[in-house]
Amino acid sequence: MKKIALMLALVVIGYTAGAQSLNVSSAREAQNRGYFDKAKKLIDAACEHEQTRNDAKTWYYAGLIYSQIGGEAEKPKSKYKNLDPDWLIKCKSAALRCKELDTEKEYAEGNNTILSFVGNEYYKKAITAFNQQNWTEAMSLCDESIKIFNECGKKEYASESYLLAGKAAFNAQNNEAILKYLKPLVRTRSKDAFVYRTLFDIYKSTSDTNEAIKVAQNYAKAAKDDYNANMMLAEAYLLKGNLEEGNAEIQKALDKTGDKPEVHASLLAAAGAVFEGVNDFANAETRYKESLTALPNQFLANFGLGKMLYNRAVDKLNDANNVPPDDETGLYEKLNQESKDFFRQSIPYFTNAISFIDNLDEHGQATNRANLFHCLNALNTVYARLEMYDELKPIKARIDELKKEASN
């Protein structure tokens, strides 16, 4: 009786194992014929049974079936649209389990394709979260996407996820996260200006000029034809006090735009802003005026030069207010007069900037509403300081009009 019982047991075990192996084959057949509900049921059973749950083949087909269920979920009229809301998590788990068990790399190529699909799905979800301004969720989903792409040996596919996560971190004003996501893109020679500009500004804000220069140098190597890279490198050199190298990089940038008058003029204005940023006001004024010579009717150089003169006026005024009351050297009067001179010099540039905006089409005016407001506010202060009350009245009226429009 014992021998008979043992034989029966063996028969049962053999039949069950065969049945589970058959489940994998049947699941594959159902998947090929588009019967995804049946395929899901069969492959789930195979994934749970002790005879097939440690087989890479089982998990490969589980990943494949769940990836196709995911494809059906994106079809509005598919009868399998809601077959399994957790298909992505199950697909990822299956593909990772397959990779773990597939020591002979029998299913590696196909399984890596499934993992690439999973990584891309997480990236798509991250885009949705980003568009909904859910920065934390977008970063988390990008993390998942990056991890999956690295798992399947497709690190190059992770670049877009790093960039999207970096933009989410930027919007969240999380500098630590920005560095985490954008620094790898510098190492892979990204050509995206956002990457380098953002990192550069972080290092500049922390006075880490050495790292700022490294970022700018990497940008120049990655995007040799991009004049913005030369401008960033110029800014970095000027931060270090290297006027010669800074001017050389600005000239390289200008040489790349000589056949594009508007771009060339914009670049000269940008050069003025770079010099202004390091308090080299003489060179800044020279570049701003060169820009206006090349293209008189523009906003950038007019506003840039007006703003620089206005800020210098404010600095002189602050210095005057810091003069001790008992000072008899006449310093207060001197500084106050210098302040008024700078205010007065700024007037035509703000006026020209406003005129430029006023002559734009309706869309252009709407886009430049904030710029117009800045110019009007500056002139409001200038006219008040210079006691030019007749000129002040129409400016105040326009400011009130803009505020009223903004509140409606």
Side-chain angles (χ1 to χ4, degrees):
M1 290 294 293
K2 289 183 178 179
K3 288 185 177 180
I4 293 174
L6 181 59
M7 287 178 65
L8 288 173
L10 289 172
V11 169
V12 171
I13 290 172
Y15 174 77
T16 304
Q20 292 307 316
S21 179
L22 184 61
N23 275 346
V24 177
S25 298
S26 297
R28 177 184 178 187
E29 177 65 20
Q31 164 245 323
N32 285 337
R33 297 177 65 183
Y35 301 143
F36 297 111
D37 50 351
K38 184 178 180 181
K40 168 179 157 53
K41 183 177 180 181
L42 290 167
I43 202 65
D44 284 351
C47 288
E48 291 178 4
H49 197 275
E50 61 182 10
Q51 296 298 324
T52 45
R53 68 188 181 193
N54 292 318
D55 187 344
K57 178 181 179 180
T58 301
W59 293 101
Y60 171 69
Y61 282 109
L64 184 60
I65 289 168
Y66 274 106
S67 70
Q68 293 187 321
I69 289 173
E72 291 297 310
E74 295 183 354
K75 299 176 182 178
K77 296 182 179 180
S78 173
K79 66 178 181 178
Y80 299 117
K81 178 175 175 59
N82 300 312
L83 181 58
D84 194 327
D86 296 325
W87 69 267
L88 183 57
I89 295 172
K90 293 178 180 179
C91 184
K92 178 187 74 172
S93 298
L96 291 175
R97 182 64 173 150
C98 174
K99 182 180 180 182
E100 180 184 353
L101 294 172
D102 188 21
T103 55
E104 300 298 323
K105 309 297 182 185
E106 184 179 356
Y107 302 98
E109 184 176 354
N111 195 56
N112 283 337
T113 299
I114 294 170
L115 283 170
S116 295
F117 171 77
V118 170
N120 190 59
E121 287 299 309
Y122 275 106
Y123 174 66
K124 285 161 60 178
K125 287 180 177 292
I127 291 175
T128 299
F130 184 91
N131 290 337
Q132 294 172 346
Q133 299 185 14
N134 192 334
W135 315 128
T136 301
E137 183 180 357
M139 285 186 277
S140 178
L141 289 165
C142 283
D143 283 337
E144 198 65 44
S145 175
I146 291 165
K147 182 171 68 175
I148 296 299
F149 281 133
N150 287 336
E151 281 284 351
C152 64
K154 303 290 185 181
K155 293 183 179 181
E156 67 276 14
Y157 293 174
S159 296
E160 291 300 319
S161 296
Y162 275 116
L163 182 59
L164 184 65
K167 290 180 178 179
F170 177 84
N171 290 336
Q173 299 182 349
N174 185 337
N175 283 358
E176 183 178 352
I178 290 172
L179 294 174
K180 169 188 171 183
Y181 294 119
L182 297 190
K183 286 174 71 175
L185 294 177
V186 173
R187 291 194 290 270
T188 57
R189 289 288 188 267
S190 169
K191 289 181 170 59
D192 195 297
F194 169 82
V195 173
Y196 300 95
R197 184 75 253 174
T198 304
L199 289 174
F200 183 85
D201 286 343
I202 288 176
Y203 291 128
K204 186 173 75 169
S205 68
T206 58
S207 300
D208 192 344
T209 52
N210 289 330
E211 286 300 318
I213 286 178
K214 288 179 184 177
V215 169
Q217 288 173 333
N218 278 306
Y219 188 15
K221 290 176 184 176
K224 295 180 180 179
D225 296 328
D226 189 346
Y227 56 82
N228 290 303
N230 298 108
M231 291 300 296
M232 184 182 292
L233 195 50
E235 189 175 352
Y237 283 132
L238 291 174
L239 286 171
K240 291 282 285 185
N242 191 334
L243 182 62
E244 183 178 352
E245 291 288 351
N247 267 319
E249 291 299 325
I250 288 174
Q251 192 56 52
K252 288 178 185 177
L254 291 170
D255 289 343
K256 292 176 181 179
T257 60
D259 59 340
K260 302 172 185 176
E262 290 192 6
V263 176
H264 193 73
S266 297
L267 203 56
L268 284 165
V274 169
F275 281 114
E276 182 187 350
V278 294
N279 296 327
D280 188 345
F281 300 120
N283 271 314
E285 184 171 354
T286 297
R287 294 300 188 179
Y288 280 133
K289 287 184 175 179
E290 285 177 354
S291 177
L292 289 171
T293 298
L295 187 68
N297 186 30
Q298 59 158 300
F299 175 80
L300 284 177
N302 276 306
F303 178 72
L305 189 46
K307 174 177 64 66
M308 184 183 79
L309 293 166
Y310 177 94
N311 288 337
R312 295 195 70 187
V314 171
D315 288 340
K316 292 291 184 181
L317 188 60
N318 289 336
D319 290 342
N321 291 333
N322 289 329
V323 174
D326 58 351
D327 182 83
E328 297 180 358
T329 64
L331 180 59
Y332 174 82
E333 290 77 10
K334 176 178 178 295
L335 292 171
N336 195 48
Q337 184 57 50
E338 288 177 353
S339 173
K340 288 182 177 181
D341 290 341
F342 280 127
F343 275 135
R344 190 172 289 105
Q345 291 174 47
S346 73
I347 293 173
Y349 301 109
F350 284 130
T351 301
N352 289 340
I354 291 169
S355 178
F356 175 81
I357 294 173
D358 287 344
N359 286 313
L360 294 173
D361 59 23
E362 186 175 346
H363 175 72
Q365 289 182 21
T367 303
N368 283 275
R369 194 65 52 86
N371 289 332
L372 178 61
F373 193 74
H374 290 321
C375 291
L376 290 170
N377 266 328
L379 275 182
N380 184 65
T381 300
V382 170
Y383 288 144
R385 283 286 171 186
L386 297 177
E387 300 179 356
M388 298 171 66
Y389 299 116
D390 290 340
E391 291 82 355
L392 179 61
K393 290 177 182 178
I395 298 299
K396 289 182 70 68
R398 291 199 66 177
I399 291 173
D400 291 340
E401 181 182 348
L402 284 177
K403 288 181 178 178
K404 184 178 179 180
E405 289 177 6
S407 64
N408 291 336

